Amino acid sequence: MSHARRFAAMLSSCALLLSACSGGSGSSSTPGPTPTPTPTATPTPTSTSVYAVPGPEALSVADVQTVIARAAAQANARNLPAVIAVVDRVGNVLAVFRMIGAAATAVTAAAPNGANIDAQNLTIPAEAGAIAKAVTGAYLSSGGNAFSTRTASQIVQQRFPPAPATVGLESGPLFGVQFSQLPCSDFSARYGAGGAAALIGPKRSPLGLAADPGGFPLYKNGVLVGGIGVMADGVYGFDPDISDVDNDAEEAIALAGTIGFESDATIRADRIYVDGTQLRFTDAGYASLIATGSPNYAATNPALGTLVTVRGYFGDPVPAIIAGSIYGTEASGIRASTPTEFANRDAFVLTDGAGTDRYPVRAATDAGEVPQPLTAAEVRAVLEEAFTVMSRARAQIRQPLDSRAQVSISIVDTRGAVLGIVRAPDAPIFGTDVSLQKARTAAFFSGAQAGAQLLADPSVDVQHFVGAVRAFLNNPAALTGTIAFSDRAGGNLSRPYFPDGEIGRPNGPFSRPIAQFNPFSTGLQSALVVTNLAQHLGFVTGANPVDTRPRCSFIPDVAAGQNRLQNGIQIFPGSVPIYRGGTLVGGIGVSGDGIDQDDMISFLGTHNGGLRVGGIGNAPVGIRADTVVVDLGNAQVRLRYVNCPFAPFLDTATQNVCAGL
């Protein structure tokens, strides 16, 4: 049985229970003169900090009660009982409140042509939708940007901005990010670990990131402390037309819950522009809310509803509101690094709650497959140089203007084993898991085993993508290590039109056709994890006795209990493979502050790290994906490798910083 059929069957049971500046070559494989490298000023343990650390704020039990009471009062005033979820900044679920009469389930959007694949037109638990929305509001935001699930909807669709009149535009800048923070991820922590680890984050989301309006970030004294998500109308969808203003009750209910915990208006999505397009924060607006006085939790529970247990997320065995963790502390799972962990004093790392860095800098694990694997010193050099590039770069999605970029950076070996993760203090949480997805994606698709491993997946659907890409590129050797794929290159092949946005063109070989496409079914990305999602939602509802394993996809293991795509793949830019001469040795992924910035930090970080230690660097020019030209019959289209911003640095006006490298 295919992944898609298994998913549909399992979720049916669940429902019953619940009710271009390329940094690569041109067409030539002969490299030009090596330019003078960008000065890096390698940080030292005593380097001066250039980033502010978020203040020590967290949601208290009383705060969570207030959020729930205000949202429930708004829902009651609208005669639309809701499920309300509240999370902290690192995704710990602090409360799930079900109002009397609230719908038990919701349905995802159907495929345009009715040929529903993956997570299209399927029934999900309402609690899962509410948690995913809350996580999205918290994870996409920071001290410099406040994004909602409506913002997410705008930036993940097949055109940007999404509207009938914008047919022919390219896809959203974070196209595919909805398939991150997955419940199968080996990176994301799981609820129920017990003891000191109970609040360790970042936590997973039951449905990845949400594009359905009704999720917002929560701020306390100007500091991001969490998110709220609301499910009420029985639909878990997205907004395909941003040209109008919606009257969305779920969004109004969630917005009411943010009263007293609002983001500063100056950092909301509608103050941020991407490629000249203003982002969207909310269609509701505080002025449109129904006045409900000053509701309190004592008059809400049990009069309007009660807390409910959500298996794998909250209240097991007895539901009770908990306080959020203070981001940046050991207990939150993310803290400042020590001098021995990372040289730059601005660096933050992931921690286990007991003082140990979860992903310390280390040597590669693939000695049996790679003649000369990455050493710990080489990994450290690339991470430090990438961190330095980030700290000099101008942010794309932060206010005020000319803020410094803040991202997460991950490095893996050819097996996908994590060799180090480091983040800026206020980088959005979503980027940590995504940076790891990107690093693994670049290493996997650039490797000699990619095609064989996809063909060995038990899903016929997954298997067919190998033949599709080889036919599309007219290259039977594709996915055998002959092409170095960045995430930008793989993303080119993962769009429902190729080239992206050109109406009438064929879909990319890693994508679904446009008549079948929506954000719940992107192609290979979703096909790889559809069974994991089905297993997990079955666990949440009680249909399955055990949860999905903490490793996404069903490609063969490369080591005991480990495959190369442990947290799924990502299909928007921000990664490059790492080479020693002509030999693949790993991958670097960057995420958090604009896709061109992500490209630049990964590309220049690898280049500068290689110059510093010698022996490693970016892929040889002649095998980079931008040497691949796709023949469309009446047009020839070159893939892209990286796209770096013009004049991206705060300390110099230098332009075209990736050109010729």
Side-chain angles (χ1 to χ4, degrees), residues 20 54 60 146 160 258 287 311 322 349 354 360 412 458 462 465 518 523 589 593 598 617 627:
S60 67
F160 176 74
T258 71
R311 193 178 185 202
I322 60 175
V349 296
V412 301
V462 170
F465 288 101
N518 74 17
D593 213 336
D598 294 348
T627 63

mmCIF file of all heavy atoms in Angstrom, residues 20 54 60 146 160 258 287 311 322 349 354 360 412 458 462 465 518 523 589 593 598 617 627:
data_model
loop_
_atom_site.group_PDB
_atom_site.id
_atom_site.type_symbol
_atom_site.label_atom_id
_atom_site.label_comp_id
_atom_site.label_asym_id
_atom_site.label_seq_id
_atom_site.Cartn_x
_atom_site.Cartn_y
_atom_site.Cartn_z
ATOM 1 N N ALA A 20 20.190 37.211 -9.706
ATOM 2 C CA ALA A 20 20.808 36.279 -9.512
ATOM 3 C C ALA A 20 22.284 36.338 -9.753
ATOM 4 O O ALA A 20 22.825 36.307 -10.781
ATOM 5 C CB ALA A 20 20.159 35.236 -10.385
ATOM 6 N N PRO A 54 17.836 38.387 24.354
ATOM 7 C CA PRO A 54 16.454 38.617 24.803
ATOM 8 C C PRO A 54 16.346 38.620 26.325
ATOM 9 O O PRO A 54 17.041 37.881 27.018
ATOM 10 C CB PRO A 54 15.693 37.429 24.190
ATOM 11 C CG PRO A 54 16.499 37.047 22.992
ATOM 12 C CD PRO A 54 17.930 37.274 23.383
ATOM 13 N N SER A 60 3.738 33.152 32.762
ATOM 14 C CA SER A 60 3.390 32.509 34.032
ATOM 15 C C SER A 60 2.078 31.750 33.862
ATOM 16 O O SER A 60 1.377 31.897 32.850
ATOM 17 C CB SER A 60 3.240 33.559 35.126
ATOM 18 O OG SER A 60 2.112 34.392 34.857
ATOM 19 N N ALA A 146 7.576 39.939 14.086
ATOM 20 C CA ALA A 146 6.411 39.217 14.602
ATOM 21 C C ALA A 146 5.621 38.701 13.413
ATOM 22 O O ALA A 146 5.044 39.488 12.662
ATOM 23 C CB ALA A 146 5.548 40.131 15.473
ATOM 24 N N PHE A 160 4.033 34.299 -5.031
ATOM 25 C CA PHE A 160 4.202 35.294 -3.983
ATOM 26 C C PHE A 160 4.085 36.684 -4.601
ATOM 27 O O PHE A 160 4.871 37.052 -5.472
ATOM 28 C CB PHE A 160 5.580 35.135 -3.331
ATOM 29 C CG PHE A 160 5.882 36.184 -2.289
ATOM 30 C CD1 PHE A 160 5.257 36.130 -1.048
ATOM 31 C CD2 PHE A 160 6.777 37.203 -2.540
ATOM 32 C CE1 PHE A 160 5.530 37.096 -0.085
ATOM 33 C CE2 PHE A 160 7.054 38.167 -1.585
ATOM 34 C CZ PHE A 160 6.425 38.100 -0.352
ATOM 35 N N THR A 258 -4.185 37.693 22.437
ATOM 36 C CA THR A 258 -2.897 38.388 22.542
ATOM 37 C C THR A 258 -3.005 39.711 23.288
ATOM 38 O O THR A 258 -1.977 40.353 23.546
ATOM 39 C CB THR A 258 -2.303 38.675 21.144
ATOM 40 O OG1 THR A 258 -3.079 39.693 20.484
ATOM 41 C CG2 THR A 258 -2.264 37.430 20.283
ATOM 42 N N ALA A 287 -9.423 46.590 16.512
ATOM 43 C CA ALA A 287 -10.645 47.397 16.495
ATOM 44 C C ALA A 287 -11.865 46.585 16.073
ATOM 45 O O ALA A 287 -13.004 46.964 16.371
ATOM 46 C CB ALA A 287 -10.466 48.588 15.558
ATOM 47 N N ARG A 311 -2.341 13.723 23.752
ATOM 48 C CA ARG A 311 -1.296 12.713 23.857
ATOM 49 C C ARG A 311 -0.049 13.134 23.086
ATOM 50 O O ARG A 311 -0.112 13.517 21.935
ATOM 51 C CB ARG A 311 -1.822 11.389 23.314
ATOM 52 C CG ARG A 311 -0.970 10.187 23.648
ATOM 53 C CD ARG A 311 -1.613 8.936 23.109
ATOM 54 N NE ARG A 311 -0.892 7.744 23.496
ATOM 55 C CZ ARG A 311 -0.963 6.589 22.850
ATOM 56 N NH1 ARG A 311 -1.755 6.480 21.782
ATOM 57 N NH2 ARG A 311 -0.284 5.540 23.255
ATOM 58 N N ILE A 322 0.805 24.978 32.773
ATOM 59 C CA ILE A 322 2.160 25.122 33.289
ATOM 60 C C ILE A 322 2.737 26.449 32.828
ATOM 61 O O ILE A 322 2.263 27.054 31.852
ATOM 62 C CB ILE A 322 3.075 23.965 32.848
ATOM 63 C CG1 ILE A 322 3.159 23.897 31.316
ATOM 64 C CG2 ILE A 322 2.582 22.642 33.408
ATOM 65 C CD1 ILE A 322 4.148 22.859 30.811
ATOM 66 N N VAL A 349 23.788 27.866 21.824
ATOM 67 C CA VAL A 349 23.798 26.453 21.449
ATOM 68 C C VAL A 349 22.566 25.763 22.021
ATOM 69 O O VAL A 349 21.867 26.302 22.887
ATOM 70 C CB VAL A 349 25.071 25.742 21.962
ATOM 71 C CG1 VAL A 349 26.319 26.323 21.317
ATOM 72 C CG2 VAL A 349 25.168 25.817 23.491
ATOM 73 N N ALA A 354 21.045 19.827 31.350
ATOM 74 C CA ALA A 354 21.986 19.478 32.425
ATOM 75 C C ALA A 354 23.370 20.038 32.137
ATOM 76 O O ALA A 354 24.356 19.584 32.708
ATOM 77 C CB ALA A 354 22.052 17.965 32.581
ATOM 78 N N PRO A 360 27.697 19.412 20.018
ATOM 79 C CA PRO A 360 29.028 20.024 20.086
ATOM 80 C C PRO A 360 29.791 19.833 18.778
ATOM 81 O O PRO A 360 29.512 18.915 17.998
ATOM 82 C CB PRO A 360 29.701 19.249 21.223
ATOM 83 C CG PRO A 360 29.047 17.897 21.192
ATOM 84 C CD PRO A 360 27.612 18.179 20.828
ATOM 85 N N VAL A 412 26.695 19.007 8.781
ATOM 86 C CA VAL A 412 26.554 17.554 8.857
ATOM 87 C C VAL A 412 27.625 16.905 7.992
ATOM 88 O O VAL A 412 28.226 17.546 7.121
ATOM 89 C CB VAL A 412 25.161 17.092 8.376
ATOM 90 C CG1 VAL A 412 24.062 17.718 9.210
ATOM 91 C CG2 VAL A 412 24.955 17.400 6.893
ATOM 92 N N PRO A 458 10.282 2.281 0.604
ATOM 93 C CA PRO A 458 9.161 1.386 0.299
ATOM 94 C C PRO A 458 8.024 2.038 -0.478
ATOM 95 O O PRO A 458 7.169 1.339 -1.023
ATOM 96 C CB PRO A 458 8.688 0.918 1.681
ATOM 97 C CG PRO A 458 9.218 1.933 2.646
ATOM 98 C CD PRO A 458 10.500 2.421 2.057
ATOM 99 N N VAL A 462 7.623 7.772 -3.693
ATOM 100 C CA VAL A 462 8.972 8.307 -3.505
ATOM 101 C C VAL A 462 9.894 7.822 -4.624
ATOM 102 O O VAL A 462 10.663 8.600 -5.201
ATOM 103 C CB VAL A 462 9.529 7.901 -2.125
ATOM 104 C CG1 VAL A 462 11.021 8.238 -2.023
ATOM 105 C CG2 VAL A 462 8.760 8.604 -1.012
ATOM 106 N N PHE A 465 10.210 9.644 -8.160
ATOM 107 C CA PHE A 465 10.883 10.929 -8.326
ATOM 108 C C PHE A 465 12.294 10.761 -8.894
ATOM 109 O O PHE A 465 12.821 11.683 -9.520
ATOM 110 C CB PHE A 465 10.925 11.683 -6.995
ATOM 111 C CG PHE A 465 9.593 12.231 -6.569
ATOM 112 C CD1 PHE A 465 8.834 11.589 -5.606
ATOM 113 C CD2 PHE A 465 9.088 13.384 -7.144
ATOM 114 C CE1 PHE A 465 7.602 12.087 -5.214
ATOM 115 C CE2 PHE A 465 7.856 13.900 -6.764
ATOM 116 C CZ PHE A 465 7.108 13.245 -5.793
ATOM 117 N N ASN A 518 -0.925 21.770 -3.592
ATOM 118 C CA ASN A 518 -1.208 22.802 -2.598
ATOM 119 C C ASN A 518 -0.206 22.659 -1.467
ATOM 120 O O ASN A 518 0.617 21.726 -1.475
ATOM 121 C CB ASN A 518 -2.681 22.802 -2.145
ATOM 122 C CG ASN A 518 -3.054 21.652 -1.229
ATOM 123 O OD1 ASN A 518 -2.204 20.981 -0.638
ATOM 124 N ND2 ASN A 518 -4.349 21.421 -1.084
ATOM 125 N N GLY A 523 5.336 17.440 -3.088
ATOM 126 C CA GLY A 523 6.071 16.544 -3.962
ATOM 127 C C GLY A 523 6.925 15.585 -3.162
ATOM 128 O O GLY A 523 6.476 14.991 -2.180
ATOM 129 N N GLY A 589 23.937 24.178 6.432
ATOM 130 C CA GLY A 589 22.631 24.777 6.244
ATOM 131 C C GLY A 589 22.460 25.989 7.131
ATOM 132 O O GLY A 589 22.929 25.991 8.282
ATOM 133 N N ASP A 593 16.883 34.449 8.392
ATOM 134 C CA ASP A 593 16.807 35.890 8.179
ATOM 135 C C ASP A 593 16.890 36.283 6.722
ATOM 136 O O ASP A 593 17.606 37.202 6.354
ATOM 137 C CB ASP A 593 17.912 36.592 8.965
ATOM 138 C CG ASP A 593 17.471 37.970 9.456
ATOM 139 O OD1 ASP A 593 16.559 38.558 8.844
ATOM 140 O OD2 ASP A 593 18.029 38.442 10.450
ATOM 141 N N ASP A 598 20.753 33.627 3.794
ATOM 142 C CA ASP A 598 21.069 32.232 4.138
ATOM 143 C C ASP A 598 22.049 31.636 3.132
ATOM 144 O O ASP A 598 23.001 30.942 3.505
ATOM 145 C CB ASP A 598 19.786 31.397 4.157
ATOM 146 C CG ASP A 598 18.822 31.788 5.267
ATOM 147 O OD1 ASP A 598 19.221 32.540 6.173
ATOM 148 O OD2 ASP A 598 17.657 31.340 5.220
ATOM 149 N N GLY A 617 36.270 23.243 1.104
ATOM 150 C CA GLY A 617 35.641 24.441 0.576
ATOM 151 C C GLY A 617 34.368 24.113 -0.160
ATOM 152 O O GLY A 617 33.775 23.044 0.034
ATOM 153 N N THR A 627 25.811 24.499 -13.539
ATOM 154 C CA THR A 627 26.323 24.066 -14.840
ATOM 155 C C THR A 627 25.292 23.223 -15.584
ATOM 156 O O THR A 627 25.499 22.876 -16.754
ATOM 157 C CB THR A 627 27.616 23.244 -14.675
ATOM 158 O OG1 THR A 627 27.328 22.048 -13.940
ATOM 159 C CG2 THR A 627 28.682 24.042 -13.953
#
